[in-house]
Amino acid sequence: MCGIVGLFLKNPALEEQLGAMFAPMLIEMTDRGPDSAGIAFYRDLPPRGFAKLTVFHPEPGFDWEAVRGAIRAELNATVTYEKNGSHIVIRTDAPARAAALLAEDTDPKIQIMSAGTAIEIYKEMGLPREVARRFELERMAGSHAVGHTRMATESAVTTAGSHLFSTGLDLCLVHNGSLSNHNRLRERLRDHEGMEFATENDTEVAAAYIANRLDKGRSLHEALEDCLTDLDGFYTFVAGTEDGFAVLRDPIACKPAVLAETPDYVAFGSEYRALAWLPGIGRAKVWEPEPAVVYSWGGRA
Amino acid sequence: MAGGSNVTVLDLERESLRAVNRRLQTVGAGAGPFRVSNPRGAHALACGLTAGIEVEIEGHTGYYCAGMNEAARVTVKGNAGVGVAENMMSGEVWVTGDASQSAAATAHGGLLVVEGNTAARCGISLKGGDIVVKGNVGHMSMFLAQAGNLVVLGDAGESLGDSIYEARIYVRGKVASLGADCIEKDMGEAHRADLAALLERAGCVDADVGAFRRYGSARALYHFKSENLDSY
C-alpha cells in the first residue's frame, strides 16, 4: 500500500498557494497510509552562498541552541534557524554537508531530514491530517512538493522509517513498491562509491543510487532512465530536485499512479481522488504514466 | 442519456457513497435514469447493480466502478480506475476516457466499451464477457482468459493473451508480443460475424472487419506431456 502525491507548479503566480493545494492531496491518501507521513517542500531559497538543513529531534524540549553553537564554532559560520514543530530549518553559509555532519553529532537522537538550498523535509508519525496540521502545511509557499503516506508493512512505525528519503543535496525520492536487488546495490554504492546509509530500507538505496547518478553529471530524467537498467523490483518513484520533478514506474507497473497536467501545474497521485480537489482539475489532461517511461518537468533536460 | 427532467441526480457532494450505492442497488428495473455527480475518484461506485437501470457518472471514478454489474447500463464520463466492471455478469459498462489496470477482470458476461486506452491486464481471467477498446491495451491483457472476446482497435502491449484458454482476441493495430501459448489464428466466417456484431454494439460503424487479426490459444499448455516428466 502507501500513498504518494506530488505537485509541481508551472505557474509561479501560484507559489503562495502550494501548501493549500497540496495538503488536501496528502490527506486524501490517508486510507493508503495512516501510520506516518513525510513531505518535501521546495521553497524559500536562501541567499547565494547559503545552505539550508532540515533537522529533527523527537523530544519537544530539545535545546536547538547546541546545534547552532556547534556549527558556528566549528565552521566559523553564520547560523540561523526557525522552529517548525519537531523540526528546525537551519540557514548557514557553511558547506551543507559539513554542517549536516556537525548537527548530527550534537545529539544521538538528531536526524538530518534534508540538506540543500530549496528542499525542506518534514516527517511525523500519525494521520496525514495531524502531520499536515503540526507543520502548518496549508500555509507553506513553494515551487513544488512531494508527499508520502505510509502503511508500515515490514518495519516499525517510526519517524526514521517514514518516507521520503533524501540522500543528496536537494534530492528527494518517494517509492511505492519493493526492490529485490537493494542489498547488492547498497554494497556496491558503499564499497565503490563511498556512499553512506542510515537504514536497511530499499528506498534509501534507490535514493542513493539516483544521487550518485546526479553526482556523475546525469540529469534527473537520465538518472531515472538509469534506474530501469540497475534496479530490480516493483516501484513507482516520484523524485524532486531543486527545480525538477520526475515520475517513473517499473516495467510491470503493479503500483498505481495517475498524472494530471494543466497550464498551471503537474500533479501526481497514487489515485485520482488525491487530485480531485485541485483547482482546474476538470480541464486537466489526466492519464496513467506508462510502464518504464520517465516523465519529467523543470530541471535540466 | 437524454437530459430530460425525469433524470434523478445523485450528488456525491451531498450524499454518502454508501447511500448512493444502496439507492442504485435497490431500485427496480423501471427506475431512473440516474446521473451521479461529483464522483471525484470514489471507489466501488455503482457496484453490485442488479436491475436494468441506466446510470451515468459525470467524472473520473476510482477502483472497481460498476463491479459485479448485472443488467444495468453504466456510463463513466471520464476515466475509470483499477478493475472497472470486474466480475460483470451482464449489462453494459461504457468508459468515455481511459480505463486503468484489470478492466473487466473475470467478467462472466456483459459488454465493456472503453473509448480511450486501457492499462495493463485488460480482461485478465475473462470468463465470458465482451470487451471493446477503441484505443490501445496495456501489457499482459487477457492473461489466463477463459471465455469471451476482446476487441482492440488500437495496439496491444507485450505478452498479449498469455496462458489463454478459449477466449478470443481481435486486434486491428500492432501487437508488441504474444504471451505463452497465444498464437495468431485464422479468421473464419463465424469469427467475422462475431467481430462485426461486437463492433456494431460498441458503435464502431466505420471499422473494417477485414483489418483485424485474431489471436487465441495454441492449446499446448492444456495437457501434461510425458516428456516433461523429468521437470517435476
Side-chain angles (χ1 to χ4, degrees), chain A residues 32 249 251-254 256 270-273 276-277 286 288 291, chain B residues 13 40-43 60 63 79 98-101 119-121 139:
Chain A
R32 299 190 68 91
R249 302 173 83 192
I252 310 286
C254 280
S270 290
E271 296 176 35
Y272 171 74
R273 63 194 168 115
W277 299 93
V286 178
E288 270 191 23
Chain B
E13 200 160 81
R40 294 200 172 107
H43 289 189
H60 308 311
Y63 291 11
N79 299 336
D98 297 333
S100 182
Q101 304 198 3
R121 304 171 197 92
H139 61 265

Side-chain angles (χ1 to χ4, degrees), chain A residues 20 24 76 78 91-92 116 120 173 182 185 193 195 221 239 291 300:
Chain A
N76 193 24
T78 306
R91 285 174 177 72
T92 176
E120 293 175 15
L173 179 73
H182 62 282
L185 190 57
E193 305 288 343
M195 302 202 73
H221 189 101
R300 173 165 81 73

Side-chain angles (χ1 to χ4, degrees), chain A residues 40-53:
Chain A
F41 257 76
Y42 290 84
R43 64 192 295 265
D44 204 6
L45 274 173
R48 216 181 162 73
F50 276 71
K52 234 164 57 177
L53 305 176

Side-chain angles (χ1 to χ4, degrees), chain A residues 69 79 98 100 151 156 160 167 169 209-210 219 233 247 286 292:
Chain A
V79 184
M151 185 180 287
T167 48
L169 296 180
Y209 172 80
I210 293 168
S219 68
V247 171
V286 178

Side-chain angles (χ1 to χ4, degrees), chain B:
Chain B
M1 183 189 297
S5 56
N6 61 338
V7 175
T8 305
V9 176
L10 304 172
D11 188 349
L12 280 166
E13 200 160 81
R14 294 186 205 171
E15 289 181 78
S16 72
L17 174 64
R18 198 163 280 190
V20 168
N21 273 344
R22 189 158 297 158
R23 177 88 180 270
L24 295 172
Q25 287 159 0
T26 49
V27 293
F34 296 91
R35 181 176 295 143
V36 179
S37 54
N38 294 306
R40 294 200 172 107
H43 289 189
L45 184 53
C47 67
L49 307 191
T50 52
I53 55 171
E54 210 173 307
V55 180
E56 191 174 280
I57 300 167
E58 287 185 309
H60 308 311
T61 60
Y63 291 11
Y64 311 126
C65 180
M68 303 174 281
N69 187 58
E70 205 177 311
R73 182 188 157 102
V74 179
T75 304
V76 177
K77 298 195 91 175
N79 299 336
V82 171
V84 65
E86 56 106 20
N87 216 57
M88 174 165 52
M89 303 305 286
S90 62
E92 280 183 23
V93 176
W94 286 65
V95 178
T96 65
D98 297 333
S100 182
Q101 304 198 3
S102 305
T106 73
H108 293 250
L111 172 69
L112 169 69
V113 179
V114 179
E115 307 266 359
N117 305 314
T118 80
R121 304 171 197 92
C122 177
I124 182 171
S125 198
L126 193 72
K127 289 172 163 59
D130 295 316
I131 307 169
V132 178
V133 179
K134 300 191 184 179
N136 307 322
V137 295
H139 61 265
M140 296 295 278
S141 287
M142 295 291 266
F143 177 50
L144 285 168
Q146 294 128 62
N149 297 286
L150 169 68
V151 178
V152 183
L153 278 77
D155 300 334
E158 281 173 35
S159 297
L160 177 70
D162 193 286
S163 308
I164 191 171
Y165 295 84
E166 292 306 297
R168 290 170 180 165
I169 305 173
Y170 302 94
V171 183
R172 186 167 71 174
K174 289 190 290 286
V175 174
S177 68
L178 293 173
D181 209 34
C182 185
I183 54 169
E184 185 174 349
K185 294 186 149 184
D186 290 337
M187 278 274 234
E189 271 318 306
H191 302 121
R192 277 178 222 280
D194 283 354
L195 176 58
L198 279 168
L199 288 167
E200 195 186 333
R201 281 175 72 197
C204 305
V205 285
D206 297 331
D208 171 16
V209 168
F212 287 79
R213 288 164 172 245
R214 181 169 80 95
Y215 304 90
S217 178
R219 300 177 180 130
L221 294 177
Y222 277 25
H223 306 290
F224 179 73
K225 294 192 178 66
S226 57
E227 63 261 33
N228 292 335
L229 189 61
D230 289 346
S231 307
Y232 292 86

Side-chain angles (χ1 to χ4, degrees), chain A residues 27-183:
Chain A
I27 293 166
E28 185 67 45
M29 289 291 95
T30 300
D31 298 357
R32 299 190 68 91
D35 296 331
S36 63
I39 311 118
F41 257 76
Y42 290 84
R43 64 192 295 265
D44 204 6
L45 274 173
R48 216 181 162 73
F50 276 71
K52 234 164 57 177
L53 305 176
T54 324
V55 185
F56 162 77
H57 196 286
E59 286 154 19
F62 181 70
D63 180 16
W64 290 107
E65 281 300 321
V67 178
R68 171 156 69 176
I71 302 173
R72 194 158 51 184
E74 288 286 331
L75 300 171
N76 193 24
T78 306
V79 184
T80 60
Y81 68 89
E82 262 172 77
K83 206 163 175 291
N84 188 352
S86 52
H87 293 47
I88 60 165
V89 178
I90 296 175
R91 285 174 177 72
T92 176
D93 57 357
R97 284 198 170 98
L101 287 175
L102 278 169
E104 203 163 28
D105 286 346
T106 321
D107 187 279
K109 289 181 184 162
I110 273 190
Q111 264 178 59
I112 308 300
M113 291 297 181
S114 66
T117 51
I119 195 169
E120 293 175 15
I121 288 184
Y122 301 90
K123 297 182 199 173
E124 272 286 10
M125 288 178 278
L127 290 171
R129 181 182 300 284
E130 266 301 295
V131 178
R133 191 188 57 76
R134 273 180 238 157
F135 297 117
E136 298 193 334
L137 214 60
E138 293 196 2
R139 289 169 56 182
M140 275 192 204
S143 55
H144 49 304
V146 176
H148 183 272
T149 62
R150 178 169 188 237
M151 185 180 287
T153 49
E154 52 182 316
S155 54
V157 180
T158 60
T159 305
S162 307
H163 289 220
L164 26 69
F165 284 93
S166 183
T167 48
L169 296 180
D170 278 312
L171 173 71
C172 80
L173 179 73
V174 282
H175 171 206
N176 182 10
S178 57
L179 300 180
S180 46
N181 66 339
H182 62 282
N183 286 332

